[in-house]
């Protein structure tokens, strides 16, 4: 039977993973792209050109009253907005990696909107339509809602791959996202920009927020650090002391720069268990301690953090 600490750690992991998947949904613009395509007058496009659309698949779609543009890729549609490639790729249930394996990498156009020439757009349309038609022909009856499920299955698989590759950074991204959403909801941001790899937000109260590393989040006023926040979301107990040491070093530097600076540590519950011998509780360099689970599941704890951050 699982212990209370194991169950608590599991809950945090699942909450973190669910939030990660949810962010990917919006980061990839899946809903926006779908609505965008629904608004296009597909009847103005030339569907008579060779696009690898079989008569059987076309007739099944048309007879169900489904707009062809919702199902079949057209090169002109991809040229106008290369990010639309992800819609048809996910509809064909093909991964980005498998596309790259056959020399048709789509990462750049899907993520950055890198332009496609007519030849590349046509080749992608031909490949994706061939697979989509095969899937349609394998169904006796086509249900329009099934297309959403096809895309959802691919998106879930893709998000799982991203999750496996970025578990360590996922918690940090989620916490930063929580802070950014609060700032935007309360209209506190005056302007934003980049400084190297750090994201910079100028607040209306005169403070500047840097979201980068060491510390992960820092509030400055007149070039003087006022608040330093370190986020350590790793769950392996073997590296808990190492993660704590790195966080402590960063927060200590903030205290050295400004003895009045407020320091905050957000850490995974598993790491607290592994360092329960007093390192965290006994450190004068840490003013406030929160867990990743606190921020994800507790409105009260999030509000407490926001009050400390004065946002």
């Amino acid at each position: 039977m699982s212990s209370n600490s194991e169950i608590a750690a599991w809950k945090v992991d699942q909450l973190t993973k669910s939030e990660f998947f949810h962010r990917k949904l919006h980061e990839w613009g899946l809903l926006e792209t779908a609505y965008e395509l629904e608004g296009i007058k597909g009847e103005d496009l030339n569907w008579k050109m060779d696009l690898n659309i079989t008569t059987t698949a076309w007739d099944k779609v048309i007879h169900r009253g489904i707009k062809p543009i919702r199902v079949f890729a057209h090169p002109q549609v991809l040229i106008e907005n290369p990010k639309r490639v992800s819609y048809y790729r996910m509809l064909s249930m093909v991964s980005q990696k498998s596309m790259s394996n056959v020399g048709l990498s789509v990462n750049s156009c899907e993520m950055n909107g890198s332009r496609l020439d007519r030849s590349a757009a046509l080749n992608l349309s031909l490949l994706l339509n061939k697979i989509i038609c095969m899937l349609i022909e394998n169904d006796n009856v086509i249900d329009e809602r099934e297309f959403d499920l096809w895309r959802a299955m691919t998106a879930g698989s893709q998000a799982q791959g991203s999750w496996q590759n970025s578990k360590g950074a996922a918690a940090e991204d989620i916490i930063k996202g929580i802070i950014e959403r609060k700032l935007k909801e309360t209209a506190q941001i005056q302007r934003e920009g980049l400084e190297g790899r750090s994201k910079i937000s100028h607040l209306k109260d005169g403070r500047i927020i840097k979201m980068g590393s060491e510390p992960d989040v820092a509030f400055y006023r007149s070039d003087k650090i006022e608040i330093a926040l370190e986020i350590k979301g790793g769950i392996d107990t073997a590296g808990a002391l190492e993660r704590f040491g790195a966080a402590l070093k960063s927060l200590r530097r903030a205290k050295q720069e400004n003895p009045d600076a407020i320091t905050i540590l957000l850490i995974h519950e598993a790491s607290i268990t592994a360092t329960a011998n007093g390192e965290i509780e006994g450190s004068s360099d840490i003013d406030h301690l929160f867990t990743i689970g606190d921020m994800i599941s507790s409105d009260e704890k999030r509000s407490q953090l926001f009050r400390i951050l004065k946002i």
Side-chain angles (χ1 to χ4, degrees):
M1 185 175 180
S2 299
S3 65
N4 290 336
S5 61
E6 289 174 329
I7 293 173
W10 177 85
K11 287 181 178 178
V12 172
D13 290 342
Q14 295 309 305
L15 285 167
T16 305
K17 182 177 181 181
S18 296
E19 174 63 15
F20 179 84
F21 273 51
H22 185 239
R23 282 194 304 106
K24 287 299 179 185
L25 166 70
H26 293 287
E27 182 182 314
W28 294 335
L30 301 186
L31 286 172
E32 293 83 354
T33 302
Y35 284 130
E36 183 185 40
L37 287 171
E38 288 176 3
I40 296 175
K41 291 184 178 181
E43 56 268 27
D44 295 336
L45 297 169
N46 177 15
W47 292 104
K48 293 183 179 180
M49 61 187 296
D50 182 14
L51 295 173
N52 257 356
I53 301 173
T54 66
T55 302
T56 300
W58 177 270
D59 288 345
K60 278 190 174 184
V61 168
I62 296 300
H63 291 162
R64 293 289 294 182
I66 303 169
K67 294 174 64 174
I69 198 168
R70 283 209 62 197
V71 186
F72 305 114
H74 193 288
Q76 186 58 39
V77 172
L78 303 186
I79 290 171
E80 289 174 359
N81 182 357
K83 290 186 176 182
R84 294 170 182 165
V85 170
S86 65
Y87 176 95
Y88 297 103
R89 176 184 60 78
M90 289 184 179
L91 190 61
S92 68
M93 292 190 274
V94 175
S95 69
Q96 290 178 328
K97 184 176 181 180
S98 64
M99 294 288 286
S100 296
N101 289 342
V102 294
L104 290 171
S105 178
V106 294
N107 297 48
S108 182
C109 60
E110 288 188 11
M111 301 305 296
N112 304 319
S114 298
R115 293 184 62 83
L116 292 169
D117 59 31
R118 181 157 295 277
S119 176
L122 178 59
N123 286 337
L124 285 170
S125 298
L126 291 170
L127 174 65
L128 297 176
N129 286 337
K130 183 174 183 179
I131 299 171
I132 291 169
C133 287
M134 179 192 69
L135 294 172
I136 292 172
E137 290 178 1
N138 285 339
D139 273 347
N140 291 327
V141 179
I142 286 296
D143 186 329
E144 190 169 4
R145 295 190 66 180
E146 188 172 337
F147 298 136
D148 294 327
L149 295 177
W150 291 0
R151 292 170 57 237
M153 290 178 69
T154 312
S157 177
Q158 184 170 315
Q160 179 65 30
S162 297
W163 169 254
Q164 293 293 343
N165 291 331
S166 60
K167 278 185 179 180
E172 180 182 333
D173 290 341
I174 288 169
I175 300 303
K176 288 180 178 178
I178 288 172
I179 294 173
E180 286 185 316
R181 282 198 298 273
K182 177 64 175 178
L183 291 168
K184 290 178 180 178
E185 286 170 3
T186 52
Q188 297 184 57
I189 299 176
Q190 195 170 46
R191 68 180 190 277
E192 295 177 302
L194 293 174
E195 186 178 289
R197 295 184 178 181
S198 298
K199 184 174 182 179
I200 309 296
S201 297
H202 294 258
L203 304 188
K204 293 179 180 179
D205 64 6
R207 293 183 297 168
I208 296 176
I209 303 177
K210 292 185 180 181
M211 292 192 179
S213 59
E214 296 189 8
D216 296 312
V217 181
F219 286 69
Y220 292 87
R221 189 186 297 276
S222 301
D223 294 327
K224 186 177 182 180
I225 192 166
E226 287 191 343
I227 303 174
L229 192 154
E230 274 290 328
I231 307 162
K232 297 301 175 188
I235 62 175
D236 60 302
T237 56
L241 286 174
E242 182 180 348
R243 288 194 299 275
F244 170 70
L248 187 62
K249 184 178 180 181
S250 176
L251 297 178
R252 184 174 294 148
R253 278 199 299 268
K255 286 286 191 184
Q256 291 170 347
E257 182 180 333
N258 176 16
D260 295 325
I262 297 171
T263 55
I264 307 167
L265 174 62
L266 283 96
I267 195 167
H268 194 283
E269 283 79 349
S271 294
I272 291 180
T273 301
T275 56
N277 52 358
E279 280 91 345
I280 292 178
E281 294 83 353
S283 173
S284 60
D285 295 309
I286 302 173
D287 295 321
H288 300 280
L289 174 68
F290 294 94
T291 67
I292 302 299
D294 286 339
M295 293 300 103
I296 295 173
S297 60
S298 172
D299 291 337
E300 181 182 349
K301 291 293 185 179
R302 278 197 302 273
S303 296
Q304 185 179 339
L305 175 64
F306 294 153
R307 285 194 295 271
I308 296 170
L309 300 178
K310 298 178 183 178
I311 62 175

